[in-house]
């Protein structure tokens, strides 16, 4: 006995319909030792980077290698960085709504070039400054989460950042650095 | 076609839950491959990578891997969202153009952060198969069932493949699962998904592999024992498992014919046997008789770093030629489930 | 050197739209591929190999889609590859396909690139699934700001590009955005997305596909319509992030175009190229790429835009198709640039045809402006030598 499908199921002229298929995948990744140490540094109120022994470039968060000289970097190359610096570039993002989005108001993201020994932190938040006043050359200092409340739950192998330990950056009130000196460094 | 040789290679061990990031464990693998090839990094004319975003759980995951390559000053490179064996194919094609003489190929992946039964259904037809939630072990089990019912393999033979592979893997410093296992004891274990038992399944592995290719002149200049790629081809079949004869691998047979497997006797083969029953299918598809040693490395049953595992078969086959006296070897890589897509490579020493 | 000429003898693309709810993923891809085959007057069985390209799989929620699309692509029994080089993928896919012809490995190759972004949530994908994502343009906005400051360009250059490309799109029936009343005022008044980039200065999110049929000289001779000859290809990449990197005029981009021009025998791109399809997803990238690929000198790119040189009727038209600003199925966008360049030198670009174009540049970039793929196509193998 063969069954046949009713006509309305096989009508090729019926309009195409769509259905939503919501899926969630879980990935659990172990924090690599170099990022773990970076996270431990943040908990202790320090920003740690690695300085390449060959080219001298400072990587923060440290990656465990210098991709320019293609050599591994270790704790021997660790350097404690300043938690003050200057805005070298920025944008103001008007948030788009998507699944998981929590932002609703325009927010600024700045690149902060840290004072000596250097290092660049990008996509940082600016606190207590209206978005319209964010500018290149602005001197900033880190606003640390009180030590007892610090967490590194947000720090992952890929995303780095300092969320959970550094709330953001506030203006120091020092005079702006002239933008010619900064060459609009993004990285 | 121009003669292209493998002049160097390296692998990471296969681990579960590696605590290094992918670029971090890829880093020394690439450096070692370059060193083993006796060339300078900056002489490399083309680089091609194989990896998969979904494995990593991150869009654009492959971008970070570029940091392990030495991509400053700029380089010429490309990427396939496929096993490194297909990256090797792209590099082999690129070398045929004739304007460059070396290529770096690598494959890498971390399978352990994700859950295979969540991730791999996404590799299937999204309209008819993904919603069924078919996990990859069940898909393999369908193929094993077809083979058992056709009398082409027995559960004993499958257990023997598993035991032999893990015994051979005791000589492979990169292997994750190795040791002496008694097939009879293995057969007493319960099924994981009928008719597959735990020993029939590959481990879940993180790992990387890199291979250096060179044109003939360059190979002669720098390499004492170049391993020549005499033939290489890859083919894909229909996707729906119901539309294929799962007891055969027609794409492996076709790729093998095009790669010239049958042109001369084969000494050794490194095949992407991820599930023990696949060895039977692949042997027959490639016409490999009992005299051919299969997977002296242990194969994927001993270490299964997805996205590197196919390329690692090519590296291991090359090792058999350059270091263990094999004259002619076959390497095979597979993509998709139940052997849907296959690449075959014939290697020869001088 | 084994290097046979490669010709583009069939080109097809879909109507690009925000949502192509009328087709499945394979349906979208086949629409473009079938059009390319029809253009070449070939059938699926004529094709020896297929090269597929697209951007991240999480955009549609299908992992390694070439596997489930093998049948739809007519690839069963054939070699099928899937290239992924971020935004430049459409271009690199075409280049991989080109090499298969140039090396004589295959005689007829179908290459396809697509994105069906409406299936997933591209913004979510770009944000890596996290809150506070920078969006497609947030990473690039500071670099555009840097260009504006260093070049001294007036603020309206970006708006001019946005208007020009959308007006060109009105002449391209496949283009997604058909903004009949686009104007400088409208662009300027549209909401700010990533300061200083306004909504109307940014690319849309599109569903779409593009396909080409490539063949060798013998195949080109038999082709029913004039082929476009691939005169040169180039790919170049660099690290996306390291201290002190210049992401405004990336070195990989400069090197890619220099390698390309050298291979094509081009010594003066401004004079020897008739039309360019450049990957401009945000308005300011038009002057940035003109400079970044040595078509204009440093600080001079915006003047080409300002003077009207890059308009459809100008002396260096850029993006007569409407470009990425008018259609952006991310995985396909690079191939669309390559295909539109080929349409130009075949004289097949319809209403957006640049008169007398015989040498055209197709360009794609991706990642943190770190991946580049480019090609030069010509109406004949000696199009550059013959160029006036």
């Amino acid at each position: 006995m063969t069954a046949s499908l009713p006509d309305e199921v096989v009508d090729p002229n019926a309009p195409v319909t769509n259905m939503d298929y919501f899926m969630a995948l879980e990935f659990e990744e172990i924090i690599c030792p170099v990022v773990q140490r970076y996270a431990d540094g943040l908990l202790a109120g320090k920003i740690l980077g690695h300085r390449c022994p060959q080219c001298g470039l400072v990587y923060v968060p440290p990656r465990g290698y210098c991709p320019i000289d293609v050599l591994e970097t270790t704790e021997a190359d660790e350097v404690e960085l300043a938690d003050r610096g200057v805005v070298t570039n920025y944008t103001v993002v008007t948030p788009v709504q998507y699944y998981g989005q929590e932002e609703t108001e325009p927010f600024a993201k700045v690149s902060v070039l840290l004072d000596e020994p250097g290092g660049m932190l990008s996509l940082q938040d600016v606190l207590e400054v209206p978005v319209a006043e964010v500018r290149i050359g602005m001197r900033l200092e880190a606003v640390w989460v009180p030590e007892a409340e610090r967490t590194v739950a947000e720090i992952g192998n890929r995303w780095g950042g300092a969320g959970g330990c550094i709330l953001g950056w506030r203006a120091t009130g020092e005079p702006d650095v002239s933008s010619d000196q900064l060459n609009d460094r993004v990285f | 076609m121009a003669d292209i040789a493998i002049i160097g290679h390296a692998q990471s061990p296969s681990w579960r839950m590696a605590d290094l990031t992918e670029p971090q464990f890829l880093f020394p693998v690439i450096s070692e491959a370059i060193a083993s090839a006796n060339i300078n990094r900056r002489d490399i004319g083309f680089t091609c990578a194989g990896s998969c975003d979904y494995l990593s759980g991150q869009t654009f995951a492959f971008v970070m891997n570029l940091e392990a390559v030495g991509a400053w000053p700029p380089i010429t490179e490309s990427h396939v969202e496929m096993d490194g064996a297909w990256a090797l194919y792209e590099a082999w094609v690129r070398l045929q153009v004739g304007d460059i003489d070396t290529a770096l190929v690598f494959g890498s992946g971390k399978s352990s952060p994700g859950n295979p039964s969540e991730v791999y259904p996404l590799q299937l037809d999204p309209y008819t198969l993904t919603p069924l939630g078919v996990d990859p072990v069940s898909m393999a089990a369908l193929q094993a069932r077809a083979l058992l019912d056709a009398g082409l393999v027995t559960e004993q033979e499958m257990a023997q493949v598993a035991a032999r592979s893990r015994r051979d893997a005791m000589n492979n410093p990169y292997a994750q699962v190795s040791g002496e296992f008694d097939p009879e004891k293995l057969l007493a274990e319960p099924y994981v998904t009928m008719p597959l038992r735990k020993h029939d399944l590959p481990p879940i592995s993180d790992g990387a592999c890199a291979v250096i290719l060179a044109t003939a002149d360059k190979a002669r200049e720098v390499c004492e024992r170049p391993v020549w790629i005499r033939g290489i081809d890859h083919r894909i079949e229909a996707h729906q498992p119901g539309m294929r004869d799962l007891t055969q691998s027609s794409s492996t047979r076709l790729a093998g014919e095009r790669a010239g497997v049958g042109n001369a006797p084969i000494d050794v083969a490194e095949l992407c046997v991820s599930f023990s029953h696949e060895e039977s299918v692949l042997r027959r598809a490639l016409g490999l008789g009992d005299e051919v040693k299969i997977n002296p490395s242990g194969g994927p049953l001993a270490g299964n770093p997805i996205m590197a595992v196919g390329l690692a078969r090519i590296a291991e086959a090359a090792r058999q030629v350059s270091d263990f006296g094999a004259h002619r070897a076959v390497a095979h890589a597979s993509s998709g489930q139940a052997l849907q897509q296959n690449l075959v490579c014939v290697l020869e020493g001088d | 050197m084994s290097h046979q000429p490669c010709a583009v003898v069939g080109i097809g693309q879909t109507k690009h739209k925000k949502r192509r709810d009328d087709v499945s993923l394979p349906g979208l891809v086949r629409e473009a591929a079938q059009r390319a085959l029809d253009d070449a007057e070939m059938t699926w069985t004529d094709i020896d190999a297929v090269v597929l390209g697209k951007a991240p799989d999480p955009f549609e929620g299908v992992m390694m889609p070439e596997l489930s699309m093998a049948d739809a692509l007519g690839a069963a029994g054939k070699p099928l590859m899937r290239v992924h080089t971020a935004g430049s993928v459409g271009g690199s896919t075409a280049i991989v396909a080109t090499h298969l012809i140039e090396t004589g490995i295959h005689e007829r190759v179908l290459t396809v690139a697509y994105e069906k972004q409406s299936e997933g949530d591209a913004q979510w994908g770009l944000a890596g699934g996290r809150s506070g994502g920078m969006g497609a343009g947030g990473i690039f906005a500071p670099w555009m700001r840097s260009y504006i400051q260093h070049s001294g360009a007036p603020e309206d250059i970006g708006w001019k590009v946005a208007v020009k490309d959308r007006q060109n799109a009105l002449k391209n029936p496949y283009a997604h955005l058909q903004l009949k009343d686009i104007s400088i005022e409208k662009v300027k008044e549209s909401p700010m997305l990533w300061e200083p980039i306004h909504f109307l200065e940014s690319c849309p999110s599109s569903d779409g596909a593009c396909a080409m049929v490539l063949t060798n000289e013998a195949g080109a001779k038999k082709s029913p319509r004039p082929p476009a000859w691939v005169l040169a290809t180039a790919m170049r990449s660099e690290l996306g992030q390291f201290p002190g990197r210049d992401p405004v005029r990336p070195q990989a981009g400069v090197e890619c175009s220099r390698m390309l021009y050298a291979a094509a025998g081009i010594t003066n791109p401004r004079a020897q190229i008739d039309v360019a399809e450049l990957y401009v997803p945000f308005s300011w990238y038009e002057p940035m790429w003109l400079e970044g690929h040595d078509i204009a000198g440093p600080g001079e790119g915006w003047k080409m835009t300002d003077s009207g040189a890059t308009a459809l009727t100008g002396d260096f038209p850029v993006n007569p198709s409407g470009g990425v600003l008018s259609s952006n199925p991310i995985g396909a966008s690079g191939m669309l640039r390559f295909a539109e360049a080929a349409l130009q030198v075949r004289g097949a670009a319809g209403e957006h045809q640049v008169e007398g174009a015989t040498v055209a540049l197709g360009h794609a970039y991706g990642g943190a402006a770190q991946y580049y793929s480019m090609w030069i196509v010509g109406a004949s193998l000696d199009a550059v030598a013959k160029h006036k």
Side-chain angles (χ1 to χ4, degrees):
Chain A
M1 177 183 118
T2 51
S4 60
L5 294 165
D7 287 340
E8 59 265 23
V9 173
V10 295
D11 174 11
N13 297 315
V16 174
T17 54
N18 290 273
M19 56 178 279
D20 284 336
Y21 181 73
F22 190 83
M23 66 178 113
L25 304 179
E26 258 185 52
F27 291 82
E28 184 194 338
E29 198 170 329
I30 295 180
I31 299 294
C32 65
V34 73
V35 171
Q36 185 62 60
R37 196 164 155 85
Y38 166 76
D40 290 342
L42 286 173
L43 287 170
K46 293 189 263 198
I47 303 175
L48 298 176
H50 275 197
R51 180 195 272 129
C52 172
Q54 202 157 298
C55 66
L57 290 176
V58 173
Y59 294 94
V60 54
R63 304 173 204 185
Y65 51 77
C66 171
I68 305 283
D69 297 304
V70 209
L71 52 89
E72 293 187 38
T73 59
T74 66
E75 268 182 48
D77 306 303
E78 197 175 87
V79 59
E80 192 179 334
L81 304 178
D83 65 351
R84 304 167 69 85
V86 61
V87 175
T88 58
N89 211 321
Y90 72 97
T91 186
V92 178
V93 181
T94 304
V96 174
Q97 295 314 304
Y98 54 83
Y99 180 79
Q101 172 70 290
E102 286 160 19
E103 301 292 333
T104 52
E105 293 303 306
F107 56 93
K109 287 287 187 184
V110 301
S111 292
V112 183
L113 178 59
L114 301 170
D115 292 346
E116 283 301 306
M120 176 80 79
L121 284 172
S122 42
L123 304 181
Q124 296 298 298
D125 294 321
V126 181
L127 306 175
E128 303 162 17
V129 177
V131 147
E133 283 173 34
V134 173
R135 60 197 181 272
I136 293 172
M138 219 171 116
R139 294 276 310 155
L140 298 176
E141 64 188 357
V143 177
W144 289 89
V145 172
E147 188 168 355
E149 293 163 41
R150 286 179 200 153
T151 150
V152 288
E154 289 288 295
I155 310 267
N157 283 333
R158 279 178 276 249
W159 294 95
C165 291
I166 292 179
L167 282 168
W169 301 72
R170 69 169 158 241
T172 63
E174 293 157 301
D176 281 6
V177 175
S178 141
S179 100
D180 290 341
Q181 294 172 260
L182 299 172
N183 288 320
D184 297 319
R185 269 192 63 180
V186 180
F187 293 117
Chain B
M1 293 293 126
D3 283 334
I4 305 293
I6 293 171
I7 61 169
H9 55 87
Q11 295 174 50
S12 72
S14 291
W15 312 271
R16 182 137 185 199
M17 293 308 266
D19 70 351
L20 296 178
T21 64
E22 200 169 315
Q24 285 170 354
F25 66 70
L26 187 50
F27 201 93
V29 169
I30 292 178
S31 297
E32 282 166 29
I34 292 171
S36 77
N38 196 24
I39 57 168
N40 291 318
R41 191 185 297 265
R42 293 307 303 175
D43 289 343
I44 294 169
F46 178 64
T47 296
C48 197
S51 71
C52 177
D53 277 355
Y54 256 114
L55 218 59
S56 316
Q58 161 110 17
T59 49
F60 301 111
F62 67 95
V63 175
M64 288 309 281
N65 289 343
L66 197 57
E67 300 203 331
V69 174
W72 184 261
I75 59 171
T76 298
E77 64 85 53
S78 186
H79 169 258
V80 290
E81 192 90 348
M82 306 173 82
D83 187 285
W86 276 268
L88 185 141
Y89 183 80
E90 183 176 332
W92 177 83
V93 173
R94 183 66 186 80
L95 285 168
Q96 298 289 338
V97 175
D99 58 332
I100 55 164
D101 60 15
T102 49
L104 160 66
V105 175
F106 60 94
S108 61
K110 290 181 91 164
S111 288
S112 43
N115 179 345
S117 43
E118 284 181 359
V119 172
Y120 285 96
L122 300 184
Q123 204 189 40
L124 302 173
D125 183 278
Y127 306 99
T128 60
L129 293 177
T130 304
L132 299 178
V134 185
D135 66 276
V137 175
S138 297
M139 188 64 87
L142 289 174
Q143 186 166 41
R145 171 54 55 202
L147 286 161
L148 288 164
D149 287 355
L152 288 168
V153 82
T154 64
E155 292 183 34
Q156 280 77 9
E157 285 161 356
M158 287 159 59
Q160 279 156 7
V161 166
R164 188 205 77 227
S165 300
R166 274 106 189 205
R167 180 185 323 119
D168 288 341
M170 291 167 76
N171 294 321
N172 179 354
Y174 307 114
Q176 184 176 339
V177 181
S178 63
E180 286 288 350
F181 296 92
D182 177 356
E184 287 312 309
K185 292 210 172 80
L186 293 176
L187 286 166
E189 293 292 310
Y191 291 116
V192 168
T193 298
M194 273 187 81
L196 300 177
R197 297 179 174 84
K198 186 165 179 217
H199 62 260
D200 296 312
L201 314 183
I204 293 176
S205 314
D206 304 340
C209 178
V211 172
I212 309 288
L213 301 180
T215 55
D217 287 347
K218 184 70 177 182
R220 293 266 174 243
E221 182 194 316
V222 301
C223 184
E224 274 182 39
R225 284 186 302 247
V227 178
W228 302 100
I229 297 177
R230 291 295 182 220
I232 183 168
D233 192 273
H234 64 98
R235 303 277 151 173
I236 193 168
E237 295 170 41
H239 177 68
Q240 292 284 345
M243 282 179 64
R244 302 194 272 132
D245 178 353
L246 295 178
T247 65
Q248 315 294 321
S249 181
S250 57
S251 54
T252 302
R253 182 179 45 75
L254 185 54
E257 283 167 13
R258 295 296 169 102
V261 171
N263 293 354
I266 299 292
D267 300 314
V268 61
E270 281 278 339
L271 310 178
C272 233
V273 175
S274 309
F275 298 90
S276 57
H277 60 271
E278 291 179 343
E279 187 167 303
S280 152
V281 179
L282 295 170
R283 265 191 185 275
R284 283 181 287 109
L286 292 168
L288 301 176
D290 292 334
E291 73 286 1
V292 181
K293 172 68 183 165
I294 307 287
N295 290 348
S297 68
L301 288 168
N304 191 28
I306 300 287
M307 295 299 135
V309 69
L311 184 64
R313 305 281 66 70
I314 298 176
E316 288 291 347
R319 187 200 308 286
Q320 291 295 317
V321 173
S322 63
D323 295 3
F324 291 100
H327 176 64
R328 195 167 152 85
V330 172
H332 158 268
S334 195
S335 186
Q337 297 180 41
L339 301 174
Q340 184 192 350
Q341 181 173 31
N342 296 279
L343 179 148
V344 177
C345 179
V346 176
L347 303 176
E348 261 184 16
D350 276 321
Chain C
M1 192 121 68
S2 151
H3 186 130
Q4 307 181 28
C6 174
V8 183
V9 294
I11 297 174
Q13 60 182 288
T14 58
K15 165 64 186 166
H16 312 296
K17 272 177 86 167
K18 187 176 164 87
R19 299 185 66 96
R20 284 297 307 270
D21 282 344
D22 58 316
V23 286
S24 62
L25 289 161
L28 183 74
V29 165
R30 274 181 80 93
E31 185 175 293
Q34 188 67 64
R35 286 181 180 155
L37 287 169
D38 291 345
D39 187 30
E41 286 180 19
M42 287 190 196
T43 66
W44 292 94
T45 51
D46 292 320
I47 298 298
D48 302 319
V50 182
V51 186
L52 178 74
K54 68 173 297 293
D57 292 343
F59 283 178
E60 290 86 8
V62 180
M63 175 181 170
M64 299 169 73
E66 73 282 3
L67 296 166
S68 53
M69 285 214 207
D71 308 278
L73 289 167
K78 298 177 188 173
L80 170 61
M81 293 194 57
R82 185 285 182 79
V83 178
H84 177 23
T85 60
S88 69
V89 64
S92 10
T93 302
I95 292 178
V96 171
T98 299
H99 289 148
L100 290 172
I101 300 290
E102 288 180 339
T103 54
I105 292 167
H106 296 298
E107 294 182 351
R108 287 166 300 272
V109 175
L110 171 67
T111 184
V112 190
Y114 79 96
E115 211 70 56
K116 197 167 193 278
Q117 284 164 217
S118 69
E119 297 261 341
D121 187 338
Q123 295 299 331
W124 170 89
L126 289 167
R130 295 182 154 215
S131 176
M134 296 300 288
I139 300 292
F140 301 109
W143 310 351
M144 289 184 263
R145 177 195 308 287
S146 186
Y147 173 77
I148 296 167
Q149 256 174 276
H150 284 293
S151 64
E155 67 173 341
D156 65 346
I157 297 299
W159 309 333
K160 289 185 169 177
V161 173
V163 170
K164 167 184 74 75
D165 282 4
R166 274 60 174 270
Q167 285 177 339
N168 288 347
L170 294 171
K171 300 181 153 82
N172 179 358
Y174 296 111
H176 171 174
L177 295 182
Q178 298 286 332
L179 304 175
K180 293 192 174 60
D181 55 355
I182 188 82
S183 69
I184 295 283
E185 279 310 304
K186 284 208 142 59
V187 174
K188 189 175 163 184
E189 284 159 16
S190 64
M192 191 67 82
L193 281 185
W194 314 284
E195 215 261 319
I197 304 302
H198 293 261
F199 174 72
L200 282 174
E201 293 182 86
S202 171
C203 50
S205 171
S206 318
D207 288 352
C210 180
M212 292 190 284
V213 176
L214 307 184
T215 189
N216 51 24
E217 247 182 317
K221 281 195 174 66
K222 290 189 273 185
S223 116
R225 276 170 274 284
W229 293 95
V230 181
L231 303 181
T233 64
M235 285 175 67
R236 206 71 170 154
S237 311
E238 69 182 42
L239 294 174
Q241 189 185 356
F242 59 87
R245 178 186 179 223
D246 175 5
V248 180
R249 186 182 149 82
Q251 192 169 324
V254 174
E255 289 182 12
C256 190
S257 50
R258 287 186 185 164
M259 286 162 59
L260 182 77
Y261 302 148
I266 288 174
T267 50
N268 182 347
R270 177 82 165 83
Q272 292 174 286
I273 293 170
D274 294 316
V275 53
E277 283 277 338
L278 305 178
Y279 198 116
V280 174
F282 310 104
S283 57
W284 284 92
Y285 269 93
E286 177 173 289
M288 286 164 77
W289 291 142
L290 290 170
E291 293 181 32
H293 300 300
D294 293 337
I295 294 161
E300 303 290 304
W302 65 268
K303 296 177 187 171
M304 281 181 66
T305 306
D306 208 25
S307 69
T310 62
L312 187 54
T313 48
D315 67 80
F316 195 90
V318 174
N319 294 333
S321 66
V324 178
L325 276 172
S326 303
S327 312
N328 190 21
I330 294 178
S333 285
M335 190 173 286
L336 284 165
R337 307 285 68 70
F338 278 42
E340 287 285 345
L343 281 171
Q344 290 289 337
V345 302
R346 297 174 81 199
E351 265 195 86
H352 64 276
Q353 177 71 49
V354 170
E355 284 298 310
T358 58
V359 178
L361 164 64
H363 160 276
Y365 87 96
Q370 67 196 110
Y371 300 113
Y372 294 86
S373 51
M374 302 171 77
W375 83 358
I376 296 281
V377 283
S380 60
L381 284 169
D382 57 356
V384 171
K386 276 165 43 176
H387 197 268
K388 288 188 258 312

